[in-house]
Amino acid sequence: MFRPQPNAEAAAIRPTEPLVRVEGVTKNFGGVRALRGVSLEVRPGEVHALLGENGAGKSTLIKILSGVHACDSGTIEIAGQPVAFDGPAKSRAAGIAVVYQDLSLVESLSVAANMMLGREPLTRFGFLRKQKLMAEAGAFLKRHGIQLDPRAIVGSLPFAYRQMTEISKALMGDARVLILDEPTSSLTSDEVQVLFDAIARVTSRGVGVIYVTHRLDEVFQISQRVTVLRDGANVGTFVTPETDMKRLVAAIVGPGHADQTATPEPVASAVLAGKPAPAISLFRVSNDRLSGVDLTVSKGEIHGLAGLIGSGRTEILETIFGLRRVESGEIAVDGQPQPLRTPTEAIEQGIALVPEDRHVQGLILEHSIERNVALARLRRFARWGWMQQGAAAKDAATVIRKLAVKAPGPSSLVKTLSGGNQQKVVFAKWSNPPPRVLLLDEPTVGVDVGAREEIYSVIRNAAGAGAGVLVVSSDLAELLLLCDRISLVVEGRIVTTLSRGAIANAEELHHLLQLTQAEDQRPPYELSA
Amino acid sequence: MIDLIASRITALSTPAPNRLQKLLQVLLRGERPYMLYIAFVVLLIVFSLSSPWFLSVDNFMNIGRQTTLVSIVAVGMTFIIIARQIDLSVASTLALSGMAAALAMANVHNHWIVGAVAGLGTGALVGLLNGILTTQLAIPSFLVTLGTLSMARGLAMMVTNTKPVIITNETYFAIFGEGSFLGVPAPIAWTLASTIVGILLLHYNIFGRRIYAVGGNPTAALYSGIRTRQVTTLAFVLTGMLAGLAALVLSARSHAARPDVVQGMELDVIASVILGGCSLFGGRGFILGTLLGSLIIGTLNNGLVLLGVSSPMQLVIKGAIIIAAVAFTKR
């Protein structure tokens, strides 16, 4: 157990008194009412989950708590004291720390240097006292039971450990309230466990945690209470053990959407029962990251790739898409061997990739939906090299309607859309002509519940139209929901392929991954180093 | 009754403005360069008030002629900067291309086509070298073109041991320097031609779409099947060729090619593009803005001379203006 630190401010808080109390907060942006009277209460030592679709007001609330925005009306109290933040510095001084999705660490520096960034121990002449820095950071990590090497360079660490560095940094600045914004969106299940352990240790010392997520199972794993927002207002606050998944989903999506979470049968079971023709086949494909990958995805099949980060899942997709060289082995599309040396060649063969990071790899955020959607098939909209502007605009309008992208029109800038709608735009790039092979890398990361279901149906429709779909996902439940077959990837190899029926549930798949992983001696992150 | 007439009038008058609006939308890329207009007008007013010589047809023709070289090269630089690159070698490329054109006519065959091919070809070759070094060796174009800036200038001086080469071809003078096309003096006609080709390529051609994509997000462009290296290299080749064209215009005007001309012109070219609303972070900009930007730079050069500002002081002022323009356009 951890003894509470002798901290005068922390001691002043009685355990029953809320650490943070937000009361009737409103916020308008121009004519848009982002928050219309939101209340939230976080107690010391509590993990309080914050749920809601994109656009429900979660981010706005976080930004108000962190001092980025000022609220229009309503009150915020920290430990019983009313506060008014006029900037992030004030919020930080009041003990609120936010760990954002895109971390704010200096990758070239050590864990210790990052933790003490801006408050490094210095000599009288302003030189860094490196030993003291390491010792202080090390002692702090040890006291909190956080398994991090203070000397490790942040850039070489797996994502979960970077996140823990960020959390440690926040705690070292005497944070009393920790806001985690979708912290698990790019973690593997092992890494999630590491993060949850760290959260448990932190809360046992009286820190309150506001936990923003799209993953409902996590809410039940770590939170004591849940607050659901919809359209900028509270739907309700629930005591976690007294509620269930169904009730939360209903609260999030609102009336009339409850049926969407029903689980349809994987589409291609029937196709697989017959004699399937391969959409894409890999024969002993090797390169710097893959060693002898054998894989066949049939037409109409949704095939999952499960594995830890760094296992080579993403690299299999990248190799098929021509982003990585095939050093030995062969890839056949529709039964024909193809060289696939560049993405251009892969696209010509009807291969499409929805990449892992849509902001970096999938979209040009500063450009319009129309320009983004046309990007992968400019030639179709050009005659002798001259753009047929009308045709491109018409096509964009059609796909926007087909995929139900919520936007004022084809000329809206992609950066103004929510995460789910941005992801739909990435799918729209590949919707016409229908791809022969659809490669998906974490297709629903940062996508809200409603849009997630829509994206699943886009994927199922693509398979229904005869595409071979290959999905990488860290969300094992998602793989089980979508896939006809699942292959386990370890160290650049496919160790086994299972049909959907052979796996009972996500836990079993998780155990299988653990088992196959245990057979390999090296820990996963040494691979990526 | 009045309503009816009013509706008739709007019904009659809408189609034309719509088409015009659409054209403007494409040409301005959705940007509203008010700052640019204001800056231009303020400059005109200040100079008109302070110099009696400024506000005259002759002087404006003068500005147009002096600006041609910058305007022509700036069209290419717009493509480069939208594609998130920079080309510092344009002035040296211009000098080397001029030498190549004059030497080809003097030594190979005294025909204007020989000179034009040699000049444009040399410019294109330097551009190709810039493009290949930047994309294949992944050296930042800032450093590559800093190197070729020095190399091209050195070569231009080496070929004749720094002596100018005289040109004697009258047709060459007429086509590129002293003649006129439909009443428009040749240098200005070439500026307009480059601008129109630039507009067509950037705003109406598949190449333009690719340039914007490569500059807007190179990774996403690659993942969308765009050959980003090829597109970037082509932008450098285009700029090199336009530097070659500017060399033809300059040498036809002075009846000779000199290896030491237009030193430091890259400053004016880059300033025009940035003033014209291109983002140095790539993915944004438009050709008409660049033309206006180069006219502002030209007016500034001209006005400062008329005001009797010393040429060292002119350099200081121009440098400050570039920094101010970037500060305003930065996102």
Side-chain angles (χ1 to χ4, degrees):
Chain A
M1 280 311 289
F2 296 93
R3 208 159 42 84
Q5 262 202 308
N7 181 325
E9 279 176 311
I13 303 166
R14 271 163 283 128
T16 47
E17 192 174 5
L19 210 48
V20 182
R21 179 185 293 156
V22 175
E23 197 71 61
V25 162
T26 66
K27 177 73 188 173
N28 295 336
F29 292 107
V32 182
R33 296 174 67 190
L35 294 180
R36 35 183 118 198
V38 167
S39 301
L40 178 73
E41 201 186 87
V42 183
R43 297 174 189 147
E46 175 187 40
V47 176
H48 195 120
L50 187 59
L51 293 177
E53 295 198 290
N54 286 340
K58 292 171 308 196
S59 333
T60 312
L61 183 59
I62 292 173
K63 282 183 179 150
I64 285 173
L65 279 173
S66 61
V68 176
H69 295 318
C71 54
D72 295 341
S73 66
T75 57
I76 301 172
E77 288 176 17
I78 305 288
Q81 299 293 315
V83 288
F85 301 141
D86 51 9
K90 279 274 176 61
S91 157
R92 227 172 296 137
I96 296 179
V98 188
V99 176
Y100 285 107
Q101 284 165 319
D102 35 16
L103 307 175
S104 55
L105 296 171
V106 184
E107 294 196 356
S108 56
L109 291 181
S110 66
V111 168
N114 267 291
M115 283 169 62
M116 302 187 70
L117 206 63
R119 40 174 188 269
E120 296 90 349
L122 300 177
T123 65
R124 241 183 317 160
F125 304 106
F127 290 104
L128 183 66
R129 298 178 61 187
K130 209 165 179 183
Q131 240 101 50
K132 185 151 189 279
L133 176 101
M134 287 296 165
E136 273 185 31
F140 184 86
L141 291 171
K142 205 163 176 193
R143 204 160 58 231
H144 285 74
I146 297 173
Q147 305 276 335
L148 262 179
D149 177 2
R151 265 170 290 271
I153 298 301
V154 167
S156 69
L157 290 174
F159 206 74
Y161 290 89
R162 294 190 200 190
Q163 225 154 14
M164 281 167 49
T165 310
E166 185 96 14
I167 292 170
S168 311
K169 180 181 166 186
L171 292 174
M172 232 182 158
D174 278 331
R176 290 185 287 172
V177 182
L178 201 55
I179 302 177
L180 301 174
D181 190 2
E182 281 201 61
T184 57
S185 56
S186 36
L187 300 189
T188 64
S189 40
D190 281 351
E191 292 174 330
V192 169
Q193 209 45 57
V194 171
L195 176 72
F196 283 2
D197 287 347
I199 292 175
R201 287 177 190 278
V202 163
T203 49
S204 72
R205 293 186 57 253
V207 170
V209 173
I210 300 177
Y211 190 92
V212 181
T213 186
H214 282 122
R215 297 188 175 176
L216 295 183
D217 52 332
E218 292 173 3
V219 171
F220 291 97
Q221 280 181 55
I222 64 158
S223 76
Q224 280 80 53
R225 290 192 299 163
V226 202
T227 293
V228 180
L229 301 184
R230 190 171 70 232
D231 298 331
N234 288 66
V235 179
T237 296
F238 308 88
V239 177
T240 313
E242 293 168 14
T243 186
D244 57 29
M245 194 84 86
K246 217 167 164 183
R247 282 225 289 265
L248 286 185
V249 171
I252 293 166
V253 297
H257 287 278
D259 301 339
Q260 283 192 343
T261 48
T263 317
E265 277 289 293
V267 273
S269 314
V271 178
L272 286 178
K275 203 166 169 58
I280 187 146
S281 325
L282 280 69
F283 304 106
R284 312 208 148 275
V285 171
S286 299
N287 56 26
D288 56 338
R289 298 298 296 275
L290 305 181
S291 43
V293 171
D294 278 312
L295 176 70
T296 299
V297 182
S298 309
K299 288 179 182 172
E301 181 192 0
I302 304 180
H303 193 118
L305 291 178
L308 304 181
I309 285 182
S311 63
R313 316 172 299 184
T314 297
E315 288 78 1
I316 292 177
L317 302 190
E318 288 175 347
T319 306
I320 297 173
F321 198 61
L323 287 159
R324 288 174 181 275
R325 247 158 52 90
V326 178
E327 274 159 19
S328 69
E330 194 175 79
I331 301 179
V333 184
D334 238 353
Q336 299 295 316
Q338 298 291 348
L340 305 178
R341 284 165 300 210
T342 61
T344 319
E345 287 182 0
I347 291 168
E348 276 163 11
Q349 290 302 319
I351 300 174
L353 171 66
V354 174
E356 188 173 9
D357 187 337
R358 61 177 162 268
H359 288 182
V360 175
Q361 300 157 332
L363 296 167
I364 303 175
L365 294 172
E366 300 284 332
H367 289 183
S368 65
I369 298 177
E370 187 222 313
R371 285 196 162 235
N372 273 283
V373 166
L375 204 56
R377 50 219 162 87
L378 285 175
R379 261 179 229 281
R380 284 173 60 90
F381 302 119
R383 196 176 297 152
W384 304 110
W386 300 102
M387 292 300 296
Q388 312 292 114
Q389 316 267 4
K394 224 168 100 185
D395 175 85
T398 313
V399 286
I400 285 176
R401 222 174 318 120
K402 205 170 107 192
L403 295 181
V405 179
K406 287 186 196 76
S411 56
S412 315
L413 297 189
V414 168
K415 68 176 174 186
T416 63
L417 305 180
S418 71
N421 284 307
Q422 288 182 347
Q423 189 71 339
K424 285 187 200 167
V425 173
V426 181
F427 272 88
K429 286 169 72 172
W430 308 110
S431 69
N432 178 37
R436 291 204 279 184
V437 178
L438 183 57
L439 309 172
L440 308 172
D441 201 347
E442 303 283 5
T444 61
V445 163
V447 170
D448 59 79
V449 178
R452 191 173 289 203
E453 287 301 325
E454 287 171 5
I455 283 174
Y456 289 158
S457 65
V458 171
I459 297 172
R460 291 197 183 98
N461 288 342
V469 182
L470 193 54
V471 195
V472 165
S473 180
S474 295
D475 185 345
L476 299 182
E478 177 171 285
L479 284 181
L480 288 172
L481 186 71
L482 280 173
C483 299
D484 304 299
R485 288 190 298 165
I486 295 172
S487 294
L488 306 189
V489 187
V490 178
E491 287 211 7
R493 288 177 296 117
I494 286 180
V495 288
T496 179
T497 299
L498 302 154
S499 73
R500 168 67 182 87
I503 310 163
N505 50 34
E507 263 104 300
E508 197 182 320
L509 183 54
H510 181 83
H511 283 300
L512 277 171
L513 263 180
Q514 295 297 317
L515 281 175
T516 49
Q517 196 62 37
E519 287 163 14
D520 284 279
Q521 297 303 309
R522 286 193 290 169
Y525 57 86
E526 277 187 16
L527 267 181
S528 55
Chain B
M1 187 62 198
I2 292 170
D3 280 0
L4 192 69
I5 295 171
S7 70
R8 283 262 169 89
I9 291 172
T10 45
L12 283 174
S13 58
T14 38
N18 268 353
R19 211 168 298 156
L20 186 67
Q21 272 170 6
K22 214 165 172 187
L23 182 72
L24 280 178
Q25 233 171 27
V26 173
L27 295 187
L28 300 183
R29 293 269 314 119
E31 318 257 350
R32 279 172 194 74
Y34 297 129
M35 286 303 294
L36 212 54
Y37 302 144
I38 294 168
F40 197 39
V41 171
V42 166
L43 264 188
L44 291 181
I45 293 172
V46 167
F47 286 139
S48 315
L49 292 178
S50 31
S51 166
W53 311 110
F54 182 76
L55 210 58
S56 66
V57 175
D58 270 0
N59 190 43
F60 279 108
M61 291 303 282
N62 198 11
I63 292 177
R65 262 196 302 273
Q66 284 172 346
T67 315
T68 41
L69 303 182
V70 171
S71 302
I72 290 173
V73 181
V75 168
M77 189 69 82
T78 308
F79 285 79
I80 297 232
I81 289 183
I82 291 177
R84 251 189 227 195
Q85 305 290 345
I86 193 89
D87 187 347
L88 302 177
S89 73
V90 284
S92 307
T93 307
L94 193 158
L96 183 63
S97 306
M99 294 300 283
L103 284 171
M105 283 189 288
N107 298 324
V108 179
H109 182 66
N110 195 1
H111 192 285
W112 70 272
I113 290 184
V114 174
V117 168
L120 296 176
T122 306
L125 269 178
V126 178
L128 186 66
L129 183 69
N130 283 335
I132 287 177
L133 288 175
T134 301
T135 56
Q136 300 299 324
L137 300 186
I139 307 171
S141 53
F142 179 82
L143 289 172
V144 167
T145 57
L146 194 61
T148 49
L149 174 154
S150 179
M151 286 164 64
R153 182 70 71 180
L155 274 178
M157 292 179 162
M158 262 163 61
V159 280
T160 58
N161 208 2
T162 75
K163 280 195 260 310
V165 181
I166 308 297
I167 299 171
T168 56
N169 190 309
E170 292 293 333
T171 329
Y172 183 85
F173 299 153
I175 291 176
F176 295 108
E178 294 163 346
S180 64
F181 181 74
L182 300 176
V184 182
I188 294 178
W190 284 111
T191 306
L192 292 178
S194 320
T195 304
I196 289 168
V197 169
I199 286 174
L200 290 177
L201 277 181
L202 189 60
H203 301 314
Y204 291 96
N205 194 281
I206 196 166
F207 176 59
R209 287 279 185 127
R210 290 177 175 149
I211 287 281
Y212 278 112
V214 168
N217 182 345
T219 312
L222 177 72
Y223 275 65
S224 301
I226 289 171
R227 296 184 172 94
T228 52
R229 293 174 173 183
Q230 192 187 313
V231 171
T232 307
T233 305
L234 272 176
F236 278 105
V237 172
L238 177 71
T239 304
M241 275 182 74
L242 286 169
L245 176 62
L248 303 182
V249 171
L250 177 63
S251 58
R253 195 156 65 197
S254 49
H255 292 205
R258 304 163 58 90
D260 57 351
V261 286
V262 296
Q263 301 209 26
M265 189 186 77
E266 62 276 352
L267 181 75
D268 283 3
V269 173
I270 293 168
S272 305
V273 177
I274 300 299
L275 273 179
C278 270
S279 165
L280 267 181
F281 305 95
R284 271 172 54 184
F286 55 107
I287 299 281
L288 271 191
T290 297
L291 184 65
L292 203 50
S294 67
L295 284 176
I296 290 179
I297 292 287
T299 309
L300 195 69
N301 284 338
N302 173 273
L304 291 176
V305 171
L306 289 183
L307 290 186
V309 176
S310 69
S311 64
M313 192 58 205
Q314 288 178 34
L315 283 177
V316 173
I317 292 175
K318 272 195 298 196
I321 284 175
I322 294 182
I323 294 174
V326 174
F328 271 116
T329 58
K330 151 179 118 169
R331 44 177 179 206

